[in-house]
Amino acid sequence: MVNSDFLNNLNKPQKEAVKYLNGPLLIVAGAGSGKTKVLTTRIANIIHEKKAFPNQILAVTFTNKAAKEMQVRVSNILGSTATGLSWLGTFHSICAKILRKHSSAINLQSNFTIIDTDDQIRLIKNICKAENIDVKKLAPRYILSIIDRWKNKGCYPEEVVLNSKDIYEKNILPIYKIYQQKLIDLNSCDFGDLILHTVKIFEKQSDIREIYSKNFRYILVDEYQDTNYVQSKWLNLLVNKNENICCVGDDDQSIYSWRGAEIKNFLEFDQVFKNTKVIRLEENYRSTENILSVASELISNNKNRVGKTLKTTMKQGDLVKLFCFKNGKDEATGISDEIEKIKKKCSYNNIAILVRAIFQTREFEERFLKIGIPYRILGGTKFYERAEIKDCIAYLRLINQKKDDLAFERIVNNPKRSIGDSTLKSIHLYSKNNKVCLEIASRKMIEKNLIKPKAKIGLIMFLDLVTKWRNDLAIKTVSHIKLLQNILDESGYSSILKNKKDLDNENRLENIKELLNAMKEFDNLESFLEHVSLATSVDQEWEGEKINMMTMHAAKGLEFETIFLPGWEEGLFPHQKSIEEKGQNGLEEERRLAYVGITRAKKRVIISFSMNRFYQGDWIESMASRFIEELPEKYLEKNSIFNEDKYIDDEFEFNQDIDIEDNVRSPGWIRYQKRIK
């Protein structure tokens, strides 16, 4: 049964977007403006007005969740009529469907396998082994990221134009050629192939392309600002002479350039399709007036944007709070105090802490565990459960306690020392039979020459290092902090993270630096390890009332009553790397990320920064993010530290062990000084 009044609950621009059915349409949908509602209602209206049958509508999303939500909403309007929406899905699912029908065009059988990331890595490793490529210097994950980037640009191996600034690309291109041929030989595709192959078929065989372009009377695309080159190319190839393509998105929420998204697809839409109608959805149904005013003022500093003015029917609401703290620990304490104040008005589930980098969660986790505030990490792992942190802790545990077999097992071959599973199995057997720990078993087996030569060399090297580290700690040559730094350097663990090209390694290194910061709070190794044991023993269930912690990237599409945005400091946010690599474009994307963070909030936003942070064993003086300077004063409420003379005079004194010299100032602080000179 069709719900005939489905157009009645739309505002004027929403209704216009739904009813405009002739020609290209770009819907600039501000945060919280009801874009999903418009898309689904538009689909329903097309069918209701008999402009097209359900199977003549192509509706594309980025996630299965979004596709399912659209299907449910259309069904709620149209009832059983909506069941024929056979072309509503993600880019990958729709392309897979097309590709299975025309697989022979790219030398595949219709029953081809779609391989996952683990299979991709295994295949790359095999290729590297066969080609004598050292995976310690060129990580399989990094190789795959470059291959994926080429596929996002619409390039088969023979079409790749090498980037002269990237010294690794010339080494990766031959691997790409072999990898792509292997996939064909295995009758397989990776996710990048699903779209790339389909585009190539459409380009080379116009008859196949026309089958689909003639069938799809209407094309609708969600989150268009997140499309990459090959996705945009695929859509353009499918548009027929009527050009009934409707793209919905928000250029101010384009934050995924690091995974290939090209904002110019959105900004230049009206140049590709000359008769484009642009409709702006500017009424926000999520946030208070004050929150929107702050977000709008901030994003207005970006030059590359379509532009819109968000307004709301909501009350003015609370002022956006801006907190300055003396250090990172005080920031975590201050935010937990603020949570305690507002929990009567707002459940934990409706509170989120959004960080720029995942290592920032550590101080909050420590604080919440201490005072008993339950929390969950969305889109990530709790700090002490991250693989690199567990590796570091395992090294420290073994040094502290030689009988810690679990720690021994974790790090004896990490990094690789040619100590394989068969060697470990034999050590375990000796340990069991002789009732000794794994470390002693290893030493005895070396004495008796029971270990194969290659593994023996690696094991001797490892055990010698363990002995050295224990001695250094015993005679107090080093602190427990310096001990971990030595372990990381002398074991080769840190060099692998630094030298091995891997997109995740930067985060791993930041997490390890944060671990070193955490160790500073304890007098010795024993007390720190006890703290870790207690912290990791707390079982964090997903159900129930919990504070939500995640990165700002992970928060896109979500909403909460209260949002905390800590760590707004130069170098951290905007992130140093983003500006160094992408210049002004990078800065604008960081500002869009700030905009996304603020607009997740319904009722409250609390932004904060610290004047000092402990970083890699030293206190560094931080500088407030340039984004804070761009926030409109009249919508802000500042905490008391802003009124302290020592802050105003820039003579803040902190109880620290060392003087702050130029070499321990943050990169952001140094850059700020250059800017004001």
Side-chain angles (χ1 to χ4, degrees):
M1 185 75 181
V2 177
N3 181 1
S4 57
D5 62 347
F6 62 90
L7 295 177
N8 293 343
N9 58 350
L10 301 174
N11 63 37
K12 187 177 177 181
Q14 287 176 334
K15 190 175 288 187
E16 185 183 9
V18 166
K19 297 181 79 172
Y20 185 84
L21 301 177
N22 296 304
L25 174 64
L26 182 68
I27 302 174
V28 184
S33 63
K35 67 175 179 65
T36 305
K37 182 181 183 179
V38 168
L39 267 179
T40 52
T41 310
R42 182 177 166 86
I43 293 171
N45 190 52
I46 290 168
I47 298 168
H48 184 66
E49 293 294 322
K50 295 183 169 52
K51 295 290 185 177
F53 293 111
N55 66 355
Q56 293 176 318
I57 299 171
L58 172 65
V60 193
T61 67
F62 273 87
T63 65
N64 290 315
K65 182 184 176 184
K68 189 176 179 179
E69 185 182 356
M70 284 176 65
Q71 180 72 61
V72 169
R73 290 199 186 192
V74 176
S75 297
N76 288 339
I77 298 172
L78 297 179
S80 59
T81 313
T83 54
L85 284 168
S86 53
W87 295 101
L88 192 162
T90 64
F91 280 96
H92 292 107
S93 66
I94 291 169
C95 283
K97 189 175 178 178
I98 294 171
L99 202 55
R100 292 206 184 275
K101 291 184 178 180
H102 309 285
S103 55
S104 60
I106 39 100
N107 298 319
L108 287 174
Q109 298 172 21
S110 60
N111 64 341
F112 61 81
T113 302
I114 303 170
I115 66 171
D116 60 18
T117 304
D118 288 343
D119 289 331
Q120 286 179 276
I121 290 171
R122 197 176 299 114
L123 182 55
I124 291 292
K125 282 181 177 177
N126 291 339
I127 294 169
C128 289
K129 188 176 180 181
E131 299 297 314
N132 293 316
I133 295 167
D134 188 355
V135 294
K136 292 181 180 179
K137 295 181 179 178
L138 203 56
R141 284 187 183 275
Y142 180 72
I143 294 170
L144 282 173
S145 73
I146 299 298
I147 290 173
D148 190 54
R149 188 169 75 195
W150 285 330
K151 290 185 178 185
N152 288 342
K153 293 287 185 183
C155 299
Y156 278 152
E158 61 274 13
E159 299 168 317
V160 169
V161 178
L162 292 173
N163 180 0
S164 58
K165 295 180 181 178
D166 193 323
I167 60 173
Y168 297 97
E169 283 196 2
K170 64 179 181 181
N171 298 321
I172 295 173
L173 184 55
I175 301 173
Y176 182 20
K177 291 176 181 176
I178 300 169
Y179 171 78
Q180 210 58 18
Q181 187 56 54
K182 287 278 187 185
L183 288 177
I184 297 294
D185 295 342
L186 293 166
N187 192 39
S188 299
C189 289
D190 62 22
F191 276 91
D193 284 332
L194 295 175
I195 304 175
L196 179 60
H197 286 330
T198 309
V199 164
K200 296 302 180 185
I201 291 171
F202 285 172
E203 285 181 329
K204 294 175 182 177
Q205 301 193 34
S206 58
D207 56 329
I208 296 176
R209 179 184 64 81
E210 285 178 11
I211 293 171
Y212 295 95
S213 65
K214 286 180 179 178
N215 179 72
F216 297 139
R217 294 193 176 184
Y218 288 91
I219 298 173
L220 298 92
V221 189
D222 192 18
E223 302 286 7
Y224 189 64
Q225 79 281 347
D226 293 334
T227 55
N228 58 36
Y229 172 85
V230 77
Q231 289 165 338
S232 178
K233 181 75 174 177
W234 177 74
L235 289 166
N236 293 346
L237 286 165
L238 285 171
V239 175
N240 59 33
K241 62 182 181 181
N242 294 324
E243 294 189 336
N244 286 328
I245 180 170
C246 168
C247 292
V248 184
D250 184 2
D251 53 314
D252 291 335
Q253 296 187 64
S254 179
I255 58 174
Y256 296 127
S257 68
W258 50 275
R259 67 185 192 196
E262 296 192 7
I263 191 173
K264 70 176 184 179
N265 292 339
F266 191 94
L267 298 176
E268 297 175 2
F269 183 87
D270 58 348
Q271 297 174 34
V272 176
F273 301 100
K274 301 298 183 184
N275 298 315
T276 294
K277 171 99 170 159
V278 179
I279 296 175
R280 289 172 171 80
L281 306 183
E282 298 177 312
E283 189 158 335
N284 177 285
Y285 294 94
R286 176 187 299 154
S287 307
T288 63
E289 187 178 327
N290 282 334
I291 291 172
L292 281 188
S293 297
V294 169
S296 297
E297 184 89 10
L298 176 66
I299 201 63
S300 68
N301 289 279
N302 274 8
K303 295 177 181 177
N304 294 312
R305 58 192 296 259
V306 174
K308 59 185 174 301
T309 305
L310 288 181
K311 52 185 181 291
T312 181
T313 56
M314 308 277 282
K315 295 179 181 178
Q316 193 171 17
D318 296 345
L319 292 170
V320 171
K321 291 184 178 180
L322 178 61
F323 288 171
C324 170
F325 294 102
K326 294 175 181 178
N327 57 66
K329 194 172 183 178
D330 279 3
E331 185 176 44
T333 301
I335 285 175
S336 66
D337 290 346
E338 194 69 16
I339 289 171
E340 294 286 0
K341 289 178 187 176
I342 63 174
K343 71 177 182 180
K344 296 176 183 177
K345 309 175 190 175
C346 179
S347 75
Y348 284 152
N349 286 341
N350 254 314
I351 299 173
I353 298 173
L354 310 184
V355 297
R356 175 60 181 87
I358 196 64
F359 77 86
Q360 291 175 260
T361 67
R362 198 273 305 175
E363 284 185 304
F364 295 101
E365 291 186 59
E366 299 269 18
R367 178 64 184 170
F368 292 164
L369 288 168
K370 185 177 180 179
I371 64 175
I373 292 180
Y375 70 93
R376 61 173 71 87
I377 306 285
L378 276 73
T381 309
K382 289 186 289 183
F383 184 81
Y384 287 113
E385 291 182 1
R386 294 165 195 168
E388 61 279 5
I389 301 301
K390 292 179 80 170
D391 290 343
C392 291
I393 299 299
Y395 269 106
L396 294 171
R397 280 171 45 189
L398 184 64
I399 290 161
N400 188 60
Q401 167 62 271
K402 70 167 61 178
K403 293 182 179 180
D404 195 330
D405 284 354
L406 292 175
F408 179 95
E409 195 170 20
R410 183 176 184 94
I411 47 90
V412 67
N413 198 41
N414 185 10
K416 301 292 184 187
R417 301 184 178 94
S418 302
I419 304 167
D421 290 341
S422 61
T423 302
L424 274 173
K425 191 176 179 180
S426 63
I427 295 171
H428 269 285
L429 187 61
Y430 188 97
S431 167
K432 182 181 177 182
N433 292 339
N434 293 276
K435 293 183 172 56
V436 294
C437 66
L438 295 181
E439 182 181 332
I440 292 175
S442 301
R443 295 183 186 277
K444 293 288 186 185
M445 290 178 74
I446 290 169
E447 288 175 13
K448 296 178 180 181
N449 205 27
L450 298 176
I451 306 286
K452 292 179 180 177
K454 196 173 180 182
K456 183 179 177 180
I457 294 169
L459 195 55
I460 290 172
M461 181 181 70
F462 171 70
L463 293 171
D464 285 349
L465 282 170
V466 169
T467 301
K468 175 191 175 296
W469 296 327
R470 279 197 190 120
N471 290 338
D472 287 347
L473 191 64
I475 62 176
K476 301 192 185 300
T477 305
V478 298
S479 67
H480 56 299
I481 300 165
K482 182 62 179 174
L483 173 67
L484 179 56
Q485 291 174 325
N486 289 349
I487 290 169
L488 293 168
D489 290 339
E490 293 167 9
S491 69
Y493 195 100
S494 57
S495 65
I496 286 176
L497 291 183
K498 289 173 183 175
N499 300 331
K500 194 175 179 183
K501 274 302 250 182
D502 189 323
L503 295 182
D504 294 327
N505 278 353
E506 185 178 339
N507 285 335
R508 294 189 185 106
L509 283 167
E510 289 292 347
N511 285 333
I512 290 172
K513 290 170 185 175
E514 188 61 26
L515 179 66
L516 290 166
N517 297 347
M519 293 176 71
K520 183 73 175 178
E521 299 174 19
F522 299 87
D523 295 329
N524 53 56
L525 182 59
E526 289 80 6
S527 60
F528 172 67
L529 289 175
E530 183 178 333
H531 166 76
V532 172
S533 298
L534 293 171
T536 54
S537 68
V538 179
D539 187 22
Q540 291 289 329
E541 299 285 338
W542 275 87
E543 301 302 318
E545 291 279 311
K546 287 180 174 57
I547 301 292
N548 302 284
M549 279 197 283
M550 71 202 82
T551 64
M552 282 184 268
H553 284 101
K556 189 166 177 290
L558 304 178
E559 59 181 31
F560 301 91
E561 282 191 21
T562 303
I563 293 289
F564 289 91
L565 297 165
W568 279 40
E569 299 146 28
E570 284 291 304
L572 179 55
F573 191 49
H575 202 280
Q576 186 83 4
K577 186 182 176 187
S578 185
I579 295 174
E580 286 176 353
E581 292 184 353
K582 302 174 189 173
Q584 187 63 28
N585 289 336
L587 176 61
E588 292 208 352
E589 181 156 336
E590 291 286 293
R591 191 177 283 111
R592 291 195 292 270
L593 191 56
Y595 174 83
V596 167
I598 294 170
T599 56
R600 299 310 91 199
K602 295 180 181 179
K603 295 181 178 180
R604 301 171 201 89
V605 173
I606 300 91
I607 299 168
S608 61
F609 67 97
S610 296
M611 296 162 66
N612 296 266
R613 284 199 185 271
F614 194 75
Y615 188 74
Q616 289 185 271
D618 288 316
W619 286 103
I620 63 170
E621 189 168 335
S622 306
M623 182 58 62
S625 168
R626 67 187 74 187
F627 297 154
I628 287 176
E629 298 173 19
E630 297 170 359
L631 302 176
E633 289 273 344
K634 65 179 179 180
Y635 301 114
L636 300 179
E637 176 189 333
K638 300 178 181 179
N639 67 342
S640 59
I641 200 168
F642 283 93
N643 300 321
E644 295 181 18
D645 290 339
K646 58 188 176 183
Y647 178 77
I648 295 170
D649 295 338
D650 200 23
E651 293 179 353
F652 171 69
E653 294 180 2
F654 186 70
N655 183 21
Q656 54 196 24
D657 299 326
I658 61 169
D659 294 327
I660 297 176
E661 304 291 345
D662 285 343
N663 65 337
V664 295
R665 303 224 189 243
S666 69
W669 192 94
I670 295 168
R671 193 173 61 245
Y672 179 83
Q673 295 304 308
K674 291 178 180 175
R675 206 169 80 210
I676 63 176
K677 283 180 181 176

